[in-house]
Amino acid sequence: MSGHWQSRPEGGGRFALWLIRSIALLCGRRCARAFLYPITAYFYLRRAPERRASHQYLSRVLGRPATRREVFRHLHCFAAITMDRVYLLAYGDRAFEIETQGLDLLDAQIANGRGVLLLGSHHGSFEALRAIGARRPDVPLRVVLDKQKTPAMTELLEALAPEVGASVIDASQDGTSITLALAEACQRGAMVALLADRGRDHETLRHAPFLGRPAPFPVGPWLLAHALQVPVMLCFGLYLGGKRYRLVFEPVAERVVIPRNQRGPALDALIAHYAARLDHYAHLAPYNWFNFYDFWQQDLRAPAEPEPAVVGQRVSA
């Protein structure tokens, strides 16, 4: 869930994940990481769209034209996190050093028993979040994932961590089913996690400043937050290199309220806050960004839908 080779997920993306998974399971982590350089070199040479997208993004976040070496480093970072995804799913976090920031704030919300909505992004490792789930087995962790759009990730979950796969809420369902599943999970005091930075073709998007230019973000996660009326927190799983990760949790609101007569401004304020924090962490860990396409060129869709669309809106994953 950290990201994928966006242009052809059924081609290069599935092959990349299969290759990295196979090497990771056949070798120990130290040995397997040696293969990341030839794997990265192969995709650097063969995957021009992702290479161009990496250069565009890095040039924005670094404030100057990115070098080939920096693009290679970006792709290598993605490969490293993808390999760690295999180990995290198969063996848990015991092989990693995971520090936390804001965990006390998350624990306080969990203690209220109302459930918590965690909004992440394709920046860093969303799988590292499972370390919190493992440390709090009394609190269910439900992740929203579009199984139709991410078949490679679905296969990986079912093969390496079937119990995790069983807890996934499929975002390819209709909006009402997704909302009901999320509401039921929150009623049980669960942590519910989804990604909020990438819009799908069918989704309503609104623009917010990100890395110096307006970028499109989906409204679906915020409409869900409004419908669920549970605490909302941002979460980031930053890869610090080697076997080190940092999990960051930041509060957004005790509950999200989107007034009917102020829907547009309310959504804009929420998305602008999210984009600003994503901008902050992109500068803090620039090689952790894994949207390998032109993130800024999605078309702005229609404005936010009326109130009934709260349960009819699909969610990005």
Side-chain angles (χ1 to χ4, degrees), residues 7-300:
S7 299
R8 291 182 293 168
E10 291 302 310
R14 295 190 77 176
F15 174 69
L17 190 54
W18 173 84
L19 179 62
I20 292 173
R21 169 192 166 186
S22 299
I23 292 173
L25 295 178
L26 286 173
C27 309
R29 185 172 180 273
R30 179 176 298 180
C31 176
R33 282 178 64 86
F35 288 91
L36 292 179
Y37 288 99
I39 291 173
T40 302
Y42 172 83
F43 282 96
Y44 178 88
L45 295 172
R46 292 294 300 269
R47 303 288 293 179
E50 286 81 1
R51 190 172 64 244
R52 288 193 296 268
S54 172
H55 183 272
Q56 180 202 52
Y57 157 73
L58 287 174
S59 297
R60 291 191 187 284
V61 74
L62 298 176
R64 56 170 174 75
T67 65
R68 294 178 180 179
R69 182 184 183 92
E70 288 165 337
V71 171
F72 187 92
R73 179 181 174 183
H74 187 200
L75 299 180
H76 182 271
C77 186
F78 173 70
I81 289 179
T82 302
M83 181 168 285
D84 283 348
R85 170 191 298 174
V86 175
Y87 290 111
L88 284 163
L89 289 172
Y91 309 118
D93 65 331
R94 59 180 178 270
F96 299 92
E97 298 175 4
I98 300 180
E99 59 186 72
T100 61
Q101 179 180 323
L103 184 58
D104 55 332
L105 301 175
L106 175 62
D107 284 337
Q109 296 293 2
I110 290 173
N112 291 330
R114 298 166 52 204
V116 183
L117 182 61
L118 299 174
L119 298 182
S121 64
H122 294 80
H123 183 268
S125 174
F126 207 50
E127 272 66 42
L129 178 65
R130 302 190 194 283
I132 298 300
R135 297 174 191 181
R136 291 296 305 268
D138 56 314
V139 182
L141 173 63
R142 305 293 304 276
V143 176
V144 180
L145 175 68
D146 190 330
K147 293 184 177 182
Q148 292 183 5
K149 295 290 186 180
T150 56
M153 185 61 199
T154 300
E155 293 170 9
L156 188 69
L157 285 171
E158 293 174 348
L160 299 181
E163 73 286 352
V164 174
S167 70
V168 167
I169 296 174
D170 188 359
S172 64
Q173 304 176 86
D174 64 273
T176 300
S177 298
I178 296 170
T179 304
L180 291 175
L182 293 175
E184 181 182 0
C186 289
Q187 287 171 3
R188 297 179 178 177
M191 296 181 288
V192 176
L194 63 146
L195 307 179
D197 60 330
R198 182 185 295 174
R200 303 293 184 181
D201 290 340
H202 60 272
E203 285 186 281
T204 301
L205 306 172
R206 298 186 77 92
H207 279 66
F210 177 63
L211 296 182
R213 277 192 60 186
F217 294 89
V219 306
W222 303 102
L223 294 177
L224 275 174
H226 168 77
L228 295 173
Q229 292 293 284
V230 299
V232 179
M233 299 189 73
L234 303 184
C235 58
F236 298 90
L238 305 181
Y239 176 58
L240 305 180
K243 58 181 180 180
R244 297 170 52 236
Y245 286 84
R246 178 186 300 145
L247 298 181
V248 181
F249 300 95
E250 295 186 357
V252 175
E254 284 293 320
R255 60 190 185 100
V256 167
V257 177
I258 302 176
R260 183 189 296 267
N261 61 347
Q262 291 292 318
R263 178 172 298 277
L267 284 169
D268 286 340
L270 290 164
I271 292 172
H273 174 74
Y274 173 84
R277 299 313 295 156
L278 187 58
D279 187 294
H280 169 79
Y281 287 106
H283 281 97
L284 189 65
Y287 297 99
N288 276 224
W289 175 257
F290 303 131
N291 279 305
F292 287 102
Y293 64 101
D294 187 351
F295 189 78
W296 289 263
Q297 291 303 314
Q298 297 182 54
D299 292 331
L300 181 63

